[in-house]
């Protein structure tokens, strides 16, 4: 089955992540809530690394159409099927439940057992980005009950994108905490390099560089007026910017996006094609 196909109701084992979670459960509660135990902190970093970079998880959903079988007999999403994610509540907050394996999902509590999808970390993070009311994820909610907050999930996702492609992509909607401003101090070297890259790409018409605080994290915002392939244009800017970012993130959006237009109102571009 191709990697981009989402698997429906398929068995998952995930022995590495499951083993790390079991090891976490062997620590007493007072150690789990402390912040100064180096051994436990190292274990939590291993769990984060496995979840973010390697292990798929099981996510419960509701589908508008029955899943369909492919040539191998495996189930996948029907064309134009709407996916609704099942959230769990903790007080007034809602969390996306994810399960390390099928055995953990078999502990699901409720009269109706939902359909399951196998999803990687990037897809889970995208669900949170699109749903501003979701406070985070909870891993194995009926046993380990490991809560990971929305800001931390989005930070991990941003860092992963920057490491892979030099820039981060975000879904920015009315629920997204965001502020755009003139960056201070102004990153002149970064600005010059971005202008040089824009000048060398005939697909780029203009660019704007701004400061942005997104989900509580400060970074830079590059708005691009371009024609042609979005990925190649954005990747070129991300690659050239890497040496000048330090700990800051470069968020790139198209001028034609609703947010890109608002972020550049009454602001002069740093580069315009002659």
């Amino acid at each position: 089955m191709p990697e981009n196909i989402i698997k429906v109701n398929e068995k998952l084992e995930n022995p590495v992540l499951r083993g790390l979670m079991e090891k976490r459960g062997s620590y007493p509660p007072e150690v789990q809530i402390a912040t100064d135990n180096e051994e436990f902190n190292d274990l939590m970093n291993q769990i984060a690394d496995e979840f973010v970079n390697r292990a798929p998880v099981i996510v419960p959903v509701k589908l508008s159409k029955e899943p369909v079988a492919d040539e191998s007999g495996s189930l996948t999403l029907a064309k134009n099927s709407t996916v609704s994610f099942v959230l769990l509540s903790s007080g007034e907050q809602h969390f996306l439940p994810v399960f390390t394996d099928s055995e953990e999902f078999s502990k699901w509590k409720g009269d109706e057992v939902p359909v399951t999808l196998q999803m990687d970390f990037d897809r889970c993070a995208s669900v949170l980005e699109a749903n501003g009311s979701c406070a985070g994820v909870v891993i194995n909610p009926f046993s380990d009950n490991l809560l990971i907050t929305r800001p931390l999930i989005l930070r991990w996702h941003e860092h992963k994108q920057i490491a892979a492609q030099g820039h981060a992509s975000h879904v920015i909607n009315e629920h997204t905490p965001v502020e755009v401003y003139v960056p201070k101090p102004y990153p002149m070297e970064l600005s010059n390099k971005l202008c040089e890259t824009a000048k060398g790409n005939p697909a780029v018409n203009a660019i704007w560089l701004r400061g942005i605080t997104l989900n509580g994290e400060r970074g830079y915002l590059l708005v691009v007026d371009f024609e042609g392939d979005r990925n190649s244009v954005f990747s070129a800017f991300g690659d050239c910017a890497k040496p000048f970012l330090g700990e800051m993130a470069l968020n790139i959006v198209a001028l034609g996006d609703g947010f890109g237009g608002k972020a550049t109102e009454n602001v002069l571009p740093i580069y315009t094609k002659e």
Side-chain angles (χ1 to χ4, degrees):
M1 181 178 292
E3 290 185 2
N4 64 333
I5 298 297
I6 297 180
K7 301 175 183 179
V8 179
N9 285 346
E10 188 159 316
K11 185 177 180 181
L12 179 66
E13 293 187 348
N14 249 348
V16 175
L17 183 56
R18 176 69 183 271
L20 291 170
M21 294 296 291
E22 290 177 349
K23 187 174 180 180
R24 171 185 174 270
S26 69
Y27 283 82
E30 60 269 21
V31 173
Q32 295 188 31
I33 62 175
T35 58
D36 58 352
N37 187 299
E38 185 175 341
E39 184 180 79
F40 184 75
N41 288 342
D42 180 65
L43 173 62
M44 292 305 296
N45 287 334
Q46 292 179 57
I47 291 173
D49 178 58
E50 188 67 18
F51 175 44
V52 172
N53 295 309
R54 282 175 290 278
V57 290
I58 289 176
V59 181
V61 301
K62 295 180 179 179
L63 304 177
S64 64
K65 295 184 178 181
E66 290 294 321
V68 296
D70 64 10
E71 294 178 355
S72 67
S74 298
L75 293 178
T76 187
L77 296 178
K79 186 177 181 180
N80 298 324
S81 179
T82 300
V83 178
S84 300
F85 292 91
V86 179
L87 302 182
L88 297 180
S89 298
S90 177
E92 296 183 354
Q93 294 184 312
H94 304 284
F95 291 85
L96 177 70
V98 303
F99 298 83
T100 56
D101 54 273
S102 298
E103 184 177 343
E104 280 296 327
F105 178 72
S106 69
K107 300 173 184 177
W108 179 265
K109 298 178 181 178
D111 296 332
E112 184 180 353
V113 179
V115 175
T116 66
L117 303 184
Q118 283 190 30
M119 292 170 45
D120 60 14
F121 170 79
D122 293 339
R123 282 186 166 124
C124 292
S126 295
V127 172
L128 266 64
E129 287 187 324
N131 187 341
S133 65
C134 189
V137 304
V138 53
I139 300 179
N140 296 342
F142 306 119
S143 57
D144 301 295
N145 197 36
L146 174 57
L147 292 175
I148 307 176
T149 64
R150 172 189 178 87
L152 188 54
I153 291 289
L154 297 184
R155 190 178 307 128
W156 287 349
H157 193 215
E158 181 178 87
H159 291 172
K160 183 179 180 181
Q161 290 180 91
I162 292 170
Q165 60 193 28
H167 68 278
S169 301
H170 297 281
V171 176
I172 300 176
N173 54 40
E174 66 273 16
H175 300 292
T176 306
V178 60
E179 180 185 3
V180 179
Y181 43 82
V182 177
K184 295 181 180 179
Y186 190 80
M188 188 57 68
E189 290 184 331
L190 172 62
S191 177
N192 290 340
K193 190 62 178 180
L194 293 171
C195 289
E196 178 185 320
T197 301
K199 188 176 182 179
N201 189 339
V204 177
N205 299 316
I207 60 173
W208 292 256
L209 180 62
R210 311 220 61 198
I212 187 172
T213 300
L214 183 62
N215 295 307
E217 293 287 312
R218 293 179 65 249
Y220 299 116
L221 173 69
L222 180 68
V223 181
V224 186
D225 178 14
F226 69 98
E227 301 169 359
D229 182 66
R230 182 189 189 102
N231 288 334
S232 63
V233 171
F234 283 19
S235 294
F237 282 119
D239 289 341
C240 81
K242 279 183 180 180
F244 307 97
L245 295 176
E247 296 298 318
M248 302 282 275
L250 179 66
N251 304 278
I252 309 178
V253 299
L255 178 65
D257 296 344
F259 178 73
K262 290 180 180 179
T264 56
E265 286 180 355
N266 302 315
V267 177
L268 292 175
I270 61 172
Y271 166 83
T272 303
K273 184 191 294 185
E274 296 179 356

